[in-house]
Amino acid sequence: PALPKAKRERPTSDMSDTTYSSGLQNDLLLRAAKGLPVERPPVWVMRQAGRYLPEFRKLKEDNDSDFFRMCQTPSIAAEITLQPLRRYPELDAAIIFSDILVIPQVFGMAIDMVPAVGPVFQKPLQEPSDLDSLAIQDDDEKTRSLVHEQLAYVYDAIRLTKEKMAGRCPLIGFAGAPWTLMAYMIEGKGAKTFSRSKRWIYEYPDAAKKLLRRLAVAIGEFLVGQARAGAHALQVFDSWAGDLSVETYREFCAPCLEIITRRVRDEFGNDIPLILFAKGAPHAIDMAASWGFDVAGVDWIVAAAEARDRSRRGQRTISLQGNLDPSALFGNEEAVRARVRRMLDDFGPQRHIVNLGHGMTPQHTPEQLAVFLDEVHTYGKELYEKQSQRNTE
């Protein structure tokens, strides 16, 4: 079925003159990311395409529940990306259906998606000598070639999705951050203490930095490939950033994040908004601008006032994204709407991309997300109108 068209609430902004937002019916997210005026805060949701949707579960059953095969089949990845857009006309962006672990697969690591467990690496890294067996070494040109060769299916999915979206709204590409991917590659799966991967940081710092740099080069090239294929914005997920100290994060992770953003900026200048979601690490908001990002994702642990203050501490003011606790959607409708209004009041109508503080879960229902999105739209417009009235008084 065709996607519902986005309602054009005003002519597109100056960003519509660039290659990457021309022809969009709705460019609210791009404007908010760059700090340009918006008529209401844009909204999208991490894992908006996922197991809480019955149409996703049906498609997964039809494909024998093979998660990575769905990621690697452009027509299926495009269909999954579009599912939430069909259900929710309120969404102001789509995010391509893929996974952060496609990068470790390029490194030659085999991964199984185990039911009720999640991704499990068949042979995690144990010692620094294991780095010699990886498909990606320290030859940056070979790394870039291998990334584009092996992840072409993601680029094809973006092109197909963008064609089917017909300019409705921006399409977001993404990748995992070096530290989060390194932790997976060493732990072998999700972990509570990250003792194995943190051991590398402290016992084998040179090897850790070598691996993080290799990952950064691959990630930067992967994001460039997604933008070339048509992604309008790019997000870097550092899901486990909060498990490192501030000093350790700045020493080991910050240089790698700069490698990533520099690669994208070298290719596209400032045309592509870059978002960093460093979960559990509010200190990353302070430095996101100096690392080359336009937007910092905020989880529910960080108050809006603190996030706003931190967003102004860097080389330039950046926009914020977030931050309702996903579990808040389990409340009754009145409670959800009240929490949404409070969040919007706290962040204000400008330089804010509304999202959850993390992703949707399989336990959520489509109806719960519908309430969230409806209130964001309804109250977001009211908030903008109130601000406009104050500005004219």
Side-chain angles (χ1 to χ4, degrees), residues 21 42 72 85 123 133 136 143 186 290-291 295 314 325 338 392:
S21 63
Q72 294 162 2
L85 293 190
K123 190 177 180 182
S133 66
I136 286 182
T143 295
I186 295 172
S290 64
W291 296 337
V295 182
D325 183 345
T392 57

Side-chain angles (χ1 to χ4, degrees), residues 309-374:
D309 177 62
R310 289 179 176 276
S311 73
R312 300 184 180 104
R313 294 180 188 176
Q315 296 176 347
R316 54 187 168 79
T317 300
I318 60 172
S319 299
L320 297 172
Q321 177 176 279
N323 74 333
L324 190 71
D325 183 345
S327 295
L329 298 187
F330 292 118
N332 61 47
E333 179 173 338
E334 181 180 352
V336 172
R337 291 185 183 275
R339 288 189 174 95
V340 169
R341 292 193 295 271
R342 185 160 55 248
M343 174 181 63
L344 294 179
D345 282 334
D346 290 345
F347 279 97
Q350 302 299 325
R351 278 195 176 276
H352 181 213
I353 298 169
V354 182
N355 208 311
L356 300 177
H358 203 234
M360 294 289 289
T361 71
Q363 293 74 37
H364 284 123
T365 68
E367 293 74 24
Q368 289 166 339
L369 183 57
V371 171
F372 171 80
L373 295 173
D374 180 70

Side-chain angles (χ1 to χ4, degrees), residues 124-390:
L125 302 176
Q126 301 288 337
E127 303 293 337
S129 58
D130 292 340
L131 296 180
D132 297 336
S133 66
L134 295 175
I136 286 182
Q137 295 294 311
D138 297 318
D139 186 324
D140 291 356
E141 288 306 313
K142 287 185 178 179
T143 295
R144 294 180 178 117
S145 176
L146 196 60
V147 165
H148 293 314
E149 174 187 330
Q150 295 203 14
L151 296 179
Y153 63 84
V154 178
Y155 310 151
D156 290 342
I158 288 173
R159 294 187 189 97
L160 181 58
T161 303
K162 190 175 180 183
E163 178 184 345
K164 291 178 178 291
M165 286 175 67
R168 169 177 159 174
C169 60
L171 176 61
I172 301 170
F174 72 92
W179 158 244
T180 290
L181 297 185
M182 171 182 157
Y184 258 119
M185 293 163 74
I186 295 172
E187 303 288 342
K189 58 182 179 180
K192 291 183 178 181
T193 64
F194 298 93
S195 58
R196 292 183 178 88
S197 44
K198 290 172 76 171
R199 171 192 169 214
W200 276 54
I201 292 284
Y202 295 108
E203 186 174 351
Y204 310 124
D206 292 341
K209 289 179 179 179
K210 177 183 287 190
L211 176 55
L212 288 167
R213 187 191 177 279
R214 289 182 189 177
L215 284 163
V217 173
I219 293 161
E221 201 62 28
F222 181 40
L223 292 174
V224 164
Q226 292 182 69
R228 286 175 180 167
H232 300 93
L234 301 168
Q235 176 155 316
V236 176
F237 286 88
D238 210 352
S239 305
W240 296 337
D243 288 276
L244 295 178
S245 71
V246 176
E247 294 78 11
T248 302
Y249 195 84
R250 289 182 177 177
E251 178 184 352
F252 286 81
C253 302
C256 297
L257 293 172
E258 290 175 335
I259 289 172
I260 294 168
T261 59
R262 193 179 306 121
R263 178 67 187 98
V264 176
R265 298 303 183 199
D266 286 347
E267 181 96 6
F268 298 103
N270 293 319
D271 290 339
I272 302 289
L274 295 175
I275 307 166
L276 173 65
F277 179 55
K279 187 175 183 296
H283 59 86
I285 302 173
D286 304 26
M287 300 299 296
S290 64
W291 296 337
F293 292 92
D294 303 291
V295 182
V298 184
D299 61 36
W300 64 94
I301 302 300
V302 185
E306 178 187 348
R308 278 291 179 212
D309 177 62
R310 289 179 176 276
S311 73
R312 300 184 180 104
R313 294 180 188 176
Q315 296 176 347
R316 54 187 168 79
T317 300
I318 60 172
S319 299
L320 297 172
Q321 177 176 279
N323 74 333
L324 190 71
D325 183 345
S327 295
L329 298 187
F330 292 118
N332 61 47
E333 179 173 338
E334 181 180 352
V336 172
R337 291 185 183 275
R339 288 189 174 95
V340 169
R341 292 193 295 271
R342 185 160 55 248
M343 174 181 63
L344 294 179
D345 282 334
D346 290 345
F347 279 97
Q350 302 299 325
R351 278 195 176 276
H352 181 213
I353 298 169
V354 182
N355 208 311
L356 300 177
H358 203 234
M360 294 289 289
T361 71
Q363 293 74 37
H364 284 123
T365 68
E367 293 74 24
Q368 289 166 339
L369 183 57
V371 171
F372 171 80
L373 295 173
D374 180 70
E375 191 62 27
V376 170
H377 268 244
T378 302
Y379 192 68
K381 291 177 182 177
E382 292 180 14
L383 201 61
Y384 172 78
E385 291 169 359
K386 291 177 182 177
Q387 182 194 55
S388 297
Q389 290 174 0
R390 288 195 299 267

Side-chain angles (χ1 to χ4, degrees), residues 22-81:
S22 60
L24 288 176
Q25 302 165 39
N26 174 348
D27 68 352
L28 283 171
L29 179 135
L30 302 182
R31 282 188 274 148
K34 290 295 186 179
L36 298 172
V38 293
E39 303 75 64
R40 60 171 175 79
V43 59
W44 70 280
V45 176
M46 289 180 278
R47 294 188 190 141
Q48 64 187 31
R51 288 174 289 173
Y52 76 101
L53 290 175
E55 52 266 42
F56 175 88
R57 295 195 297 270
K58 173 67 164 59
L59 188 59
K60 191 176 180 182
E61 290 175 7
D62 292 345
N63 287 275
D64 298 321
S65 299
D66 190 326
F67 177 82
F68 285 117
R69 183 160 68 87
M70 293 194 296
C71 291
Q72 294 162 2
T73 307
S75 61
I76 296 176
E79 170 61 23
I80 294 172
T81 303

